[in-house]
Amino acid sequence: MDLLNTLVDKGLRRELPTREEALAVLATSDDDLLDVVAAAGKVRRHWFGRRVKLNYLVNLKSGLCPEDCSYCSQRLGSEAGILKYTWLKPDEASKAAAAGLAGGAKRVCLVASGRGPTDRDVDRVSRTIKAIKEENEGVEVCACLGLLSDGQAERLREAGADAYNHNLNTSESTYGDITTTHTYADRVDTVQKAHAAGLSPCSGLIAGMGESDADLVDVVFSLRELDPDSVPVNFLIPFEGTPLAKEWNLTPQRCLRILAMVRFVCPDVEVRIAGGREVHLRTMQPLALHLANSIFLGDYLTSEGQAGKADLEMIADAGFEVEGADQVTLPEHRAGGGCHDGAGAGCHEGGAGGCHEGAGVCGPVPAEPAAEPVAANEPRTDLVAVRRRGAGTDLAPNA
């Protein structure tokens, strides 16, 4: 296919595809899907080999957010039955982080719901960052706290933060349809503040909210222009009790085409499969590793993820290897300069702060009577499990 040959050539040269080419990737048929994955996989392997970076989320403060982001289980007015708790103490957060690092993660992503941090919150998170780094030599720490005020990114950098995550989520033209309590421009401003302060910028999107192909291409092209080191790709978890609870628009094939398009537009950045991979990719998750070079290990913010052991087995079975702490994530031309290696937390889920959710069953599933096959685009509410363990509970985390 001439389109795919052209996109591979451009990806190896870091040349931006045209919008028409990006749209054409999303419009390919299921018959061409493996060809699309193979082509984008060439670009992925050129810049990142067969390494998979593991990241681990610690939800420092859950729920009770004043923002009205329609996709979020922690939003104002959410009726989702999630965990709700205020700030973890630094030693509690450090203990939670240690579980993920022991499971193979090299980056810890510290997330808090809310519009943005107060100066007192920045002090609190700074103490948490120092506690984690004192206990875990060489760990990378990303903060995801919402909209930043002047000087806050610099203070986080001084405290030892390596990266900051804040996502655009969707196109500028449709942003007002999903959130009214802050603007698309607010989000761009925070990513730029983090970048200017020397933090590795991380910014991505959420697919599956009813957006068009043009919206997806618009937001990915906007991300390319912002030039983050990492682009997390979230697939909407339609939590019961949120405005988007009935938006089950994704199939595994659609998710793979979206990931391929992101890889072609952003060939040399860390593309992370974030929230929703278990729910929407399901048994196709291993194929997605040919497109993305980073995932989250274990559970997410307010939902359960695939068992950590299953994540590691999936990576090995697919012929990939977990990226070591001594390995540099980004290509040399990106790892140098003012930003640190790697990328930030998953994607935004809790209002203006937080990260978007992934969900799914964890660990062995008890045997059940054979069920009728589920159509590809039917709601899979059985795969959405609210997190009841780890941070904010007395139970051991999934890592």
Side-chain angles (χ1 to χ4, degrees), residues 56-58 60 88-99 101 106-111 124-142 159-160 162:
Y56 190 70
L57 282 166
V58 177
L60 297 178
L88 297 181
K89 293 181 174 63
D91 62 324
E92 293 172 328
S94 182
K95 182 179 179 181
L101 296 170
K106 65 181 288 186
R107 171 158 288 193
V108 174
C109 306
L110 302 176
V111 187
R124 192 193 322 260
V125 175
S126 295
R127 291 193 297 271
T128 299
I129 293 169
K130 290 175 181 177
I132 291 172
K133 292 214 162 189
E134 285 174 359
E135 294 293 325
N136 303 279
E137 183 179 357
V139 64
E140 300 174 6
V141 177
C142 174
D162 300 286

mmCIF file of all heavy atoms in Angstrom, residues 56-58 60 88-99 101 106-111 124-142 159-160 162:
data_model
loop_
_atom_site.group_PDB
_atom_site.id
_atom_site.type_symbol
_atom_site.label_atom_id
_atom_site.label_comp_id
_atom_site.label_asym_id
_atom_site.label_seq_id
_atom_site.Cartn_x
_atom_site.Cartn_y
_atom_site.Cartn_z
ATOM 1 N N TYR A 56 3.929 3.417 36.780
ATOM 2 C CA TYR A 56 3.041 3.021 37.866
ATOM 3 C C TYR A 56 2.355 4.243 38.453
ATOM 4 O O TYR A 56 3.015 5.228 38.805
ATOM 5 C CB TYR A 56 3.828 2.287 38.953
ATOM 6 C CG TYR A 56 2.946 1.646 39.997
ATOM 7 C CD1 TYR A 56 2.172 0.538 39.687
ATOM 8 C CD2 TYR A 56 2.893 2.153 41.293
ATOM 9 C CE1 TYR A 56 1.350 -0.063 40.636
ATOM 10 C CE2 TYR A 56 2.076 1.562 42.252
ATOM 11 C CZ TYR A 56 1.315 0.455 41.915
ATOM 12 O OH TYR A 56 0.501 -0.132 42.853
ATOM 13 N N LEU A 57 1.026 4.169 38.554
ATOM 14 C CA LEU A 57 0.231 5.286 39.058
ATOM 15 C C LEU A 57 0.022 5.204 40.564
ATOM 16 O O LEU A 57 -0.271 4.142 41.095
ATOM 17 C CB LEU A 57 -1.151 5.285 38.394
ATOM 18 C CG LEU A 57 -1.251 5.825 36.972
ATOM 19 C CD1 LEU A 57 -2.591 5.445 36.369
ATOM 20 C CD2 LEU A 57 -1.075 7.328 36.950
ATOM 21 N N VAL A 58 0.176 6.349 41.232
ATOM 22 C CA VAL A 58 -0.205 6.482 42.632
ATOM 23 C C VAL A 58 -1.199 7.633 42.722
ATOM 24 O O VAL A 58 -0.859 8.781 42.417
ATOM 25 C CB VAL A 58 1.004 6.764 43.539
ATOM 26 C CG1 VAL A 58 0.546 6.961 44.988
ATOM 27 C CG2 VAL A 58 2.017 5.627 43.459
ATOM 28 N N LEU A 60 -2.793 10.165 44.640
ATOM 29 C CA LEU A 60 -2.544 10.839 45.913
ATOM 30 C C LEU A 60 -3.817 11.349 46.574
ATOM 31 O O LEU A 60 -3.872 11.471 47.797
ATOM 32 C CB LEU A 60 -1.598 12.027 45.696
ATOM 33 C CG LEU A 60 -0.188 11.724 45.200
ATOM 34 C CD1 LEU A 60 0.583 13.021 44.994
ATOM 35 C CD2 LEU A 60 0.549 10.819 46.179
ATOM 36 N N LEU A 88 -2.728 11.478 50.467
ATOM 37 C CA LEU A 88 -1.889 10.494 51.140
ATOM 38 C C LEU A 88 -0.701 11.204 51.777
ATOM 39 O O LEU A 88 -0.187 12.189 51.239
ATOM 40 C CB LEU A 88 -1.359 9.459 50.140
ATOM 41 C CG LEU A 88 -2.350 8.565 49.405
ATOM 42 C CD1 LEU A 88 -1.586 7.600 48.500
ATOM 43 C CD2 LEU A 88 -3.240 7.797 50.360
ATOM 44 N N LYS A 89 -0.244 10.688 52.886
ATOM 45 C CA LYS A 89 0.980 11.207 53.502
ATOM 46 C C LYS A 89 2.184 10.764 52.670
ATOM 47 O O LYS A 89 2.117 9.746 51.956
ATOM 48 C CB LYS A 89 1.109 10.690 54.932
ATOM 49 C CG LYS A 89 0.045 11.222 55.886
ATOM 50 C CD LYS A 89 0.262 10.668 57.283
ATOM 51 C CE LYS A 89 -0.699 11.305 58.284
ATOM 52 N NZ LYS A 89 -2.119 11.008 57.962
ATOM 53 N N PRO A 90 3.295 11.503 52.715
ATOM 54 C CA PRO A 90 4.470 11.132 51.909
ATOM 55 C C PRO A 90 4.916 9.692 52.107
ATOM 56 O O PRO A 90 5.263 9.001 51.137
ATOM 57 C CB PRO A 90 5.539 12.124 52.386
ATOM 58 C CG PRO A 90 4.763 13.344 52.747
ATOM 59 C CD PRO A 90 3.510 12.809 53.384
ATOM 60 N N ASP A 91 4.904 9.180 53.360
ATOM 61 C CA ASP A 91 5.346 7.805 53.585
ATOM 62 C C ASP A 91 4.355 6.804 52.992
ATOM 63 O O ASP A 91 4.751 5.740 52.498
ATOM 64 C CB ASP A 91 5.565 7.541 55.078
ATOM 65 C CG ASP A 91 4.297 7.690 55.900
ATOM 66 O OD1 ASP A 91 3.480 8.575 55.582
ATOM 67 O OD2 ASP A 91 4.113 6.922 56.864
ATOM 68 N N GLU A 92 3.054 7.140 52.990
ATOM 69 C CA GLU A 92 2.057 6.270 52.381
ATOM 70 C C GLU A 92 2.236 6.214 50.866
ATOM 71 O O GLU A 92 2.146 5.143 50.248
ATOM 72 C CB GLU A 92 0.653 6.771 52.720
ATOM 73 C CG GLU A 92 0.283 6.671 54.187
ATOM 74 C CD GLU A 92 -1.034 7.357 54.503
ATOM 75 O OE1 GLU A 92 -1.358 8.378 53.839
ATOM 76 O OE2 GLU A 92 -1.744 6.873 55.410
ATOM 77 N N ALA A 93 2.483 7.376 50.278
ATOM 78 C CA ALA A 93 2.694 7.426 48.832
ATOM 79 C C ALA A 93 3.974 6.696 48.439
ATOM 80 O O ALA A 93 4.020 5.993 47.416
ATOM 81 C CB ALA A 93 2.750 8.878 48.365
ATOM 82 N N SER A 94 5.022 6.845 49.248
ATOM 83 C CA SER A 94 6.282 6.168 48.965
ATOM 84 C C SER A 94 6.126 4.660 49.036
ATOM 85 O O SER A 94 6.677 3.918 48.199
ATOM 86 C CB SER A 94 7.351 6.638 49.958
ATOM 87 O OG SER A 94 8.599 6.034 49.671
ATOM 88 N N LYS A 95 5.348 4.186 49.994
ATOM 89 C CA LYS A 95 5.091 2.747 50.115
ATOM 90 C C LYS A 95 4.324 2.231 48.905
ATOM 91 O O LYS A 95 4.621 1.160 48.367
ATOM 92 C CB LYS A 95 4.314 2.471 51.402
ATOM 93 C CG LYS A 95 4.041 0.999 51.646
ATOM 94 C CD LYS A 95 3.282 0.793 52.952
ATOM 95 C CE LYS A 95 2.980 -0.688 53.193
ATOM 96 N NZ LYS A 95 2.229 -0.895 54.456
ATOM 97 N N ALA A 96 3.336 3.016 48.467
ATOM 98 C CA ALA A 96 2.567 2.629 47.282
ATOM 99 C C ALA A 96 3.454 2.589 46.048
ATOM 100 O O ALA A 96 3.358 1.673 45.219
ATOM 101 C CB ALA A 96 1.410 3.595 47.080
ATOM 102 N N ALA A 97 4.327 3.582 45.910
ATOM 103 C CA ALA A 97 5.231 3.635 44.758
ATOM 104 C C ALA A 97 6.182 2.443 44.739
ATOM 105 O O ALA A 97 6.479 1.879 43.674
ATOM 106 C CB ALA A 97 6.025 4.931 44.782
ATOM 107 N N ALA A 98 6.646 2.038 45.915
ATOM 108 C CA ALA A 98 7.594 0.935 46.005
ATOM 109 C C ALA A 98 7.023 -0.356 45.435
ATOM 110 O O ALA A 98 7.750 -1.175 44.855
ATOM 111 C CB ALA A 98 8.030 0.732 47.457
ATOM 112 N N ALA A 99 5.712 -0.553 45.579
ATOM 113 C CA ALA A 99 5.081 -1.758 45.042
ATOM 114 C C ALA A 99 5.200 -1.806 43.525
ATOM 115 O O ALA A 99 5.504 -2.847 42.944
ATOM 116 C CB ALA A 99 3.619 -1.812 45.474
ATOM 117 N N LEU A 101 7.434 -0.184 41.658
ATOM 118 C CA LEU A 101 8.836 -0.298 41.271
ATOM 119 C C LEU A 101 9.318 -1.732 41.434
ATOM 120 O O LEU A 101 10.088 -2.237 40.609
ATOM 121 C CB LEU A 101 9.679 0.660 42.112
ATOM 122 C CG LEU A 101 9.370 2.148 41.886
ATOM 123 C CD1 LEU A 101 10.075 3.015 42.914
ATOM 124 C CD2 LEU A 101 9.772 2.572 40.469
ATOM 125 N N LYS A 106 9.704 1.733 36.050
ATOM 126 C CA LYS A 106 10.850 2.633 36.225
ATOM 127 C C LYS A 106 10.399 4.069 36.463
ATOM 128 O O LYS A 106 11.214 4.922 36.792
ATOM 129 C CB LYS A 106 11.792 2.572 35.036
ATOM 130 C CG LYS A 106 11.219 3.073 33.719
ATOM 131 C CD LYS A 106 12.246 2.934 32.575
ATOM 132 C CE LYS A 106 13.380 3.924 32.687
ATOM 133 N NZ LYS A 106 14.287 3.872 31.515
ATOM 134 N N ARG A 107 9.107 4.338 36.294
ATOM 135 C CA ARG A 107 8.579 5.674 36.541
ATOM 136 C C ARG A 107 7.335 5.587 37.412
ATOM 137 O O ARG A 107 6.483 4.729 37.223
ATOM 138 C CB ARG A 107 8.239 6.380 35.240
ATOM 139 C CG ARG A 107 7.492 7.692 35.462
ATOM 140 C CD ARG A 107 7.618 8.632 34.301
ATOM 141 N NE ARG A 107 8.951 9.194 34.236
ATOM 142 C CZ ARG A 107 9.283 10.243 33.477
ATOM 143 N NH1 ARG A 107 8.378 10.816 32.725
ATOM 144 N NH2 ARG A 107 10.519 10.687 33.459
ATOM 145 N N VAL A 108 7.268 6.490 38.390
ATOM 146 C CA VAL A 108 6.100 6.621 39.254
ATOM 147 C C VAL A 108 5.378 7.906 38.887
ATOM 148 O O VAL A 108 6.002 8.972 38.770
ATOM 149 C CB VAL A 108 6.507 6.655 40.743
ATOM 150 C CG1 VAL A 108 5.298 6.948 41.619
ATOM 151 C CG2 VAL A 108 7.146 5.337 41.139
ATOM 152 N N CYS A 109 4.078 7.809 38.703
ATOM 153 C CA CYS A 109 3.267 8.950 38.312
ATOM 154 C C CYS A 109 2.355 9.329 39.471
ATOM 155 O O CYS A 109 1.484 8.560 39.862
ATOM 156 C CB CYS A 109 2.433 8.604 37.081
ATOM 157 S SG CYS A 109 3.434 7.984 35.715
ATOM 158 N N LEU A 110 2.604 10.495 40.052
ATOM 159 C CA LEU A 110 1.859 10.977 41.210
ATOM 160 C C LEU A 110 0.720 11.861 40.734
ATOM 161 O O LEU A 110 0.946 12.912 40.125
ATOM 162 C CB LEU A 110 2.784 11.768 42.143
ATOM 163 C CG LEU A 110 3.999 11.013 42.681
ATOM 164 C CD1 LEU A 110 4.873 11.951 43.503
ATOM 165 C CD2 LEU A 110 3.567 9.803 43.506
ATOM 166 N N VAL A 111 -0.512 11.445 41.031
ATOM 167 C CA VAL A 111 -1.688 12.091 40.472
ATOM 168 C C VAL A 111 -2.598 12.582 41.592
ATOM 169 O O VAL A 111 -2.717 11.933 42.633
ATOM 170 C CB VAL A 111 -2.457 11.103 39.573
ATOM 171 C CG1 VAL A 111 -3.588 11.820 38.839
ATOM 172 C CG2 VAL A 111 -1.520 10.430 38.590
ATOM 173 N N ARG A 124 3.374 19.831 49.644
ATOM 174 C CA ARG A 124 3.038 18.460 50.044
ATOM 175 C C ARG A 124 3.588 17.462 49.021
ATOM 176 O O ARG A 124 4.198 16.449 49.389
ATOM 177 C CB ARG A 124 1.522 18.340 50.153
ATOM 178 C CG ARG A 124 1.025 17.075 50.820
ATOM 179 C CD ARG A 124 -0.476 16.893 50.612
ATOM 180 N NE ARG A 124 -1.227 18.123 50.676
ATOM 181 C CZ ARG A 124 -1.917 18.541 51.742
ATOM 182 N NH1 ARG A 124 -1.895 17.829 52.849
ATOM 183 N NH2 ARG A 124 -2.617 19.654 51.687
ATOM 184 N N VAL A 125 3.353 17.729 47.741
ATOM 185 C CA VAL A 125 3.833 16.824 46.697
ATOM 186 C C VAL A 125 5.356 16.838 46.630
ATOM 187 O O VAL A 125 5.983 15.795 46.394
ATOM 188 C CB VAL A 125 3.213 17.204 45.337
ATOM 189 C CG1 VAL A 125 3.808 16.356 44.219
ATOM 190 C CG2 VAL A 125 1.700 17.034 45.374
ATOM 191 N N SER A 126 5.966 17.980 46.886
ATOM 192 C CA SER A 126 7.430 18.062 46.895
ATOM 193 C C SER A 126 8.019 17.146 47.960
ATOM 194 O O SER A 126 9.016 16.447 47.730
ATOM 195 C CB SER A 126 7.876 19.506 47.136
ATOM 196 O OG SER A 126 7.487 20.334 46.050
ATOM 197 N N ARG A 127 7.383 17.125 49.130
ATOM 198 C CA ARG A 127 7.857 16.230 50.193
ATOM 199 C C ARG A 127 7.684 14.770 49.788
ATOM 200 O O ARG A 127 8.526 13.914 50.095
ATOM 201 C CB ARG A 127 7.100 16.507 51.493
ATOM 202 C CG ARG A 127 7.432 17.856 52.128
ATOM 203 C CD ARG A 127 6.914 17.946 53.559
ATOM 204 N NE ARG A 127 5.453 17.860 53.636
ATOM 205 C CZ ARG A 127 4.643 18.921 53.569
ATOM 206 N NH1 ARG A 127 5.152 20.138 53.395
ATOM 207 N NH2 ARG A 127 3.333 18.768 53.675
ATOM 208 N N THR A 128 6.593 14.488 49.089
ATOM 209 C CA THR A 128 6.345 13.121 48.622
ATOM 210 C C THR A 128 7.393 12.699 47.598
ATOM 211 O O THR A 128 7.907 11.573 47.635
ATOM 212 C CB THR A 128 4.933 13.019 48.029
ATOM 213 O OG1 THR A 128 3.971 13.324 49.045
ATOM 214 C CG2 THR A 128 4.669 11.628 47.476
ATOM 215 N N ILE A 129 7.711 13.588 46.671
ATOM 216 C CA ILE A 129 8.738 13.287 45.657
ATOM 217 C C ILE A 129 10.069 12.971 46.336
ATOM 218 O O ILE A 129 10.751 11.988 46.001
ATOM 219 C CB ILE A 129 8.892 14.473 44.682
ATOM 220 C CG1 ILE A 129 7.632 14.636 43.837
ATOM 221 C CG2 ILE A 129 10.105 14.259 43.768
ATOM 222 C CD1 ILE A 129 7.600 15.926 43.034
ATOM 223 N N LYS A 130 10.442 13.782 47.293
ATOM 224 C CA LYS A 130 11.717 13.566 47.994
ATOM 225 C C LYS A 130 11.704 12.246 48.745
ATOM 226 O O LYS A 130 12.695 11.515 48.757
ATOM 227 C CB LYS A 130 11.979 14.735 48.939
ATOM 228 C CG LYS A 130 12.301 16.037 48.206
ATOM 229 C CD LYS A 130 12.431 17.217 49.152
ATOM 230 C CE LYS A 130 12.718 18.502 48.377
ATOM 231 N NZ LYS A 130 12.776 19.698 49.255
ATOM 232 N N ALA A 131 10.565 11.902 49.367
ATOM 233 C CA ALA A 131 10.474 10.638 50.101
ATOM 234 C C ALA A 131 10.647 9.447 49.164
ATOM 235 O O ALA A 131 11.342 8.472 49.494
ATOM 236 C CB ALA A 131 9.128 10.555 50.818
ATOM 237 N N ILE A 132 10.031 9.510 47.993
ATOM 238 C CA ILE A 132 10.135 8.417 47.031
ATOM 239 C C ILE A 132 11.561 8.294 46.512
ATOM 240 O O ILE A 132 12.111 7.188 46.405
ATOM 241 C CB ILE A 132 9.144 8.630 45.872
ATOM 242 C CG1 ILE A 132 7.704 8.458 46.369
ATOM 243 C CG2 ILE A 132 9.424 7.670 44.714
ATOM 244 C CD1 ILE A 132 6.657 8.840 45.346
ATOM 245 N N LYS A 133 12.186 9.404 46.219
ATOM 246 C CA LYS A 133 13.533 9.362 45.653
ATOM 247 C C LYS A 133 14.576 8.945 46.683
ATOM 248 O O LYS A 133 15.593 8.325 46.338
ATOM 249 C CB LYS A 133 13.878 10.714 45.031
ATOM 250 C CG LYS A 133 13.051 11.026 43.791
ATOM 251 C CD LYS A 133 13.829 11.804 42.766
ATOM 252 C CE LYS A 133 13.166 11.722 41.398
ATOM 253 N NZ LYS A 133 14.000 12.287 40.320
ATOM 254 N N GLU A 134 14.338 9.256 47.941
ATOM 255 C CA GLU A 134 15.257 8.820 48.989
ATOM 256 C C GLU A 134 15.229 7.312 49.169
ATOM 257 O O GLU A 134 16.243 6.694 49.503
ATOM 258 C CB GLU A 134 14.901 9.510 50.314
ATOM 259 C CG GLU A 134 15.310 10.973 50.379
ATOM 260 C CD GLU A 134 14.802 11.656 51.636
ATOM 261 O OE1 GLU A 134 14.109 10.985 52.435
ATOM 262 O OE2 GLU A 134 15.081 12.857 51.813
ATOM 263 N N GLU A 135 14.065 6.722 48.940
ATOM 264 C CA GLU A 135 13.906 5.283 49.143
ATOM 265 C C GLU A 135 14.204 4.459 47.887
ATOM 266 O O GLU A 135 14.416 3.250 47.983
ATOM 267 C CB GLU A 135 12.477 4.976 49.611
ATOM 268 C CG GLU A 135 12.125 5.530 50.972
ATOM 269 C CD GLU A 135 12.902 4.870 52.088
ATOM 270 O OE1 GLU A 135 13.177 3.654 51.977
ATOM 271 O OE2 GLU A 135 13.242 5.568 53.067
ATOM 272 N N ASN A 136 14.201 5.099 46.731
ATOM 273 C CA ASN A 136 14.328 4.359 45.468
ATOM 274 C C ASN A 136 15.291 5.077 44.538
ATOM 275 O O ASN A 136 14.915 5.995 43.806
ATOM 276 C CB ASN A 136 12.953 4.222 44.799
ATOM 277 C CG ASN A 136 11.934 3.543 45.690
ATOM 278 O OD1 ASN A 136 11.903 2.335 45.799
ATOM 279 N ND2 ASN A 136 11.103 4.346 46.356
ATOM 280 N N GLU A 137 16.525 4.640 44.542
ATOM 281 C CA GLU A 137 17.556 5.293 43.737
ATOM 282 C C GLU A 137 17.264 5.145 42.244
ATOM 283 O O GLU A 137 16.935 4.062 41.764
ATOM 284 C CB GLU A 137 18.918 4.676 44.062
ATOM 285 C CG GLU A 137 20.079 5.334 43.337
ATOM 286 C CD GLU A 137 21.424 4.722 43.705
ATOM 287 O OE1 GLU A 137 21.453 3.821 44.575
ATOM 288 O OE2 GLU A 137 22.426 5.143 43.120
ATOM 289 N N GLY A 138 17.363 6.242 41.530
ATOM 290 C CA GLY A 138 17.210 6.219 40.078
ATOM 291 C C GLY A 138 15.792 6.255 39.572
ATOM 292 O O GLY A 138 15.566 6.264 38.356
ATOM 293 N N VAL A 139 14.800 6.291 40.466
ATOM 294 C CA VAL A 139 13.412 6.293 40.012
ATOM 295 C C VAL A 139 13.084 7.616 39.319
ATOM 296 O O VAL A 139 13.583 8.671 39.696
ATOM 297 C CB VAL A 139 12.450 6.071 41.202
ATOM 298 C CG1 VAL A 139 12.535 7.209 42.198
ATOM 299 C CG2 VAL A 139 11.011 5.906 40.723
ATOM 300 N N GLU A 140 12.257 7.550 38.297
ATOM 301 C CA GLU A 140 11.732 8.745 37.658
ATOM 302 C C GLU A 140 10.378 9.070 38.274
ATOM 303 O O GLU A 140 9.576 8.170 38.520
ATOM 304 C CB GLU A 140 11.555 8.524 36.154
ATOM 305 C CG GLU A 140 12.842 8.186 35.424
ATOM 306 C CD GLU A 140 12.593 7.841 33.967
ATOM 307 O OE1 GLU A 140 11.437 7.984 33.505
ATOM 308 O OE2 GLU A 140 13.540 7.420 33.289
ATOM 309 N N VAL A 141 10.131 10.337 38.510
ATOM 310 C CA VAL A 141 8.862 10.760 39.100
ATOM 311 C C VAL A 141 8.196 11.796 38.211
ATOM 312 O O VAL A 141 8.832 12.783 37.805
ATOM 313 C CB VAL A 141 9.055 11.335 40.517
ATOM 314 C CG1 VAL A 141 7.712 11.844 41.065
ATOM 315 C CG2 VAL A 141 9.629 10.274 41.447
ATOM 316 N N CYS A 142 6.930 11.561 37.913
ATOM 317 C CA CYS A 142 6.119 12.507 37.158
ATOM 318 C C CYS A 142 4.982 12.987 38.050
ATOM 319 O O CYS A 142 4.416 12.209 38.813
ATOM 320 C CB CYS A 142 5.554 11.837 35.916
ATOM 321 S SG CYS A 142 4.404 12.878 34.988
ATOM 322 N N ALA A 159 12.166 20.165 43.493
ATOM 323 C CA ALA A 159 11.918 19.083 44.456
ATOM 324 C C ALA A 159 12.341 17.721 43.909
ATOM 325 O O ALA A 159 12.356 16.738 44.655
ATOM 326 C CB ALA A 159 10.439 19.052 44.819
ATOM 327 N N GLY A 160 12.659 17.652 42.621
ATOM 328 C CA GLY A 160 13.119 16.399 42.038
ATOM 329 C C GLY A 160 12.201 15.777 41.012
ATOM 330 O O GLY A 160 12.499 14.694 40.498
ATOM 331 N N ASP A 162 10.706 14.807 37.576
ATOM 332 C CA ASP A 162 11.328 14.672 36.259
ATOM 333 C C ASP A 162 10.405 15.087 35.126
ATOM 334 O O ASP A 162 10.864 15.483 34.059
ATOM 335 C CB ASP A 162 11.744 13.212 36.033
ATOM 336 C CG ASP A 162 12.741 12.733 37.068
ATOM 337 O OD1 ASP A 162 13.901 13.140 36.983
ATOM 338 O OD2 ASP A 162 12.340 11.967 37.965
#
